[in-house]
Amino acid sequence: MSKIVAIDGPAGSGKGTVAKILAQECNLTYIDTGAMYRAIAYASLQNNIDISEEEKIVELAKNSKIDFIDGKTYLNGKDISKEIRTMEVTRIVSPISSIVKLREILVDMQREMAGNLDVIMEGRDITTVVFPNATYKFYLDATLDERANRRYKENKEKGMEVTLDEIKENISKRDYNDMHKEVGSLTRTEDAIYIDSTNLTIDEVVEKMKNIIEV
């Protein structure tokens, strides 16, 4: 039977970084669900589709092929790993990810990608919708200030000029949208192990999870 490690949590809580490290150290296949929604958001921008044109976005997703190869995100064979992390994509990814029919398409893709593999998957609704019967379920959290500071440092390192206030406002809006989605809202389930990463290093979070996964 395949092993499924599911991690949910708000933006900037460290899910992606932790999942990538755990994938390597625990021999798991990493599937970045957030990057999938970002890929569709990026494709919408490239095709000049407004976020209000839900049917066009859904159609776009139906005709899109998303792959993860060597830690990079590919859309229809093109590496878009850097493009999907821009502020333009970040601004629209939350409303786009609220489109119910789009979520259904991507959830099917996510389950298909997992197949019979041992996987680690992170997002907003992995423990609740995608894999409610996951082998291990985690909810990774941190304060809004800490999450905004992390994103600010990441953006600075990438040469992206965005103010801390703008990042904090964006994350706050995303939190609200993520928690109030009609389908696939961010919810902390009773059976998910809660980890507050505010005062923890990435290594400390990884160690906590690793000790549980490898029991």
Side-chain angles (χ1 to χ4, degrees), residues 112-127:
E112 193 177 328
M113 281 179 179
N116 295 315
L117 301 169
D118 287 335
V119 302
I120 185 162
M121 201 177 281
E122 50 89 7
R124 302 295 189 278
D125 63 348
I126 313 305
T127 65

Side-chain angles (χ1 to χ4, degrees), residues 148-194:
N149 279 323
R150 288 174 186 173
R151 280 288 156 90
Y152 179 70
K153 286 176 186 173
E154 282 175 22
N155 289 346
K156 287 283 280 185
E157 285 168 9
K158 292 173 186 172
M160 294 166 63
E161 291 300 321
V162 188
T163 68
L164 181 58
D165 285 342
E166 189 179 357
I167 291 170
K168 192 172 178 179
E169 184 184 356
N170 179 265
I171 289 179
S172 183
K173 282 179 181 175
R174 284 193 68 186
D175 285 351
Y176 183 85
N177 288 340
D178 288 341
M179 290 173 181
H180 293 82
K181 283 191 177 95
E182 184 184 341
V183 173
S185 61
L186 175 62
T187 308
R188 178 184 162 192
T189 62
E190 285 184 12
D191 59 345
I193 297 163
Y194 181 81

Side-chain angles (χ1 to χ4, degrees), residues 133-158:
N133 298 315
T135 323
Y136 301 101
K137 297 162 85 169
F138 296 96
Y139 189 97
L140 190 56
D141 205 357
T143 63
L144 176 59
D145 283 342
E146 177 61 22
R147 290 185 286 127
N149 279 323
R150 288 174 186 173
R151 280 288 156 90
Y152 179 70
K153 286 176 186 173
E154 282 175 22
N155 289 346
K156 287 283 280 185
E157 285 168 9
K158 292 173 186 172

Side-chain angles (χ1 to χ4, degrees), residues 94-113:
S94 190
I96 279 183
S97 69
S98 297
I99 299 170
V100 175
K101 286 183 180 176
L102 171 64
R103 295 197 74 85
E104 289 170 356
I105 291 166
L106 293 192
V107 165
D108 284 344
M109 275 191 202
Q110 289 154 17
R111 287 174 179 155
E112 193 177 328
M113 281 179 179

Side-chain angles (χ1 to χ4, degrees), residues 5-25:
V5 179
I7 308 172
D8 283 330
S13 56
K15 302 184 304 296
T17 306
V18 166
K20 285 173 190 170
I21 297 170
L22 284 170
Q24 288 183 325
E25 296 191 3

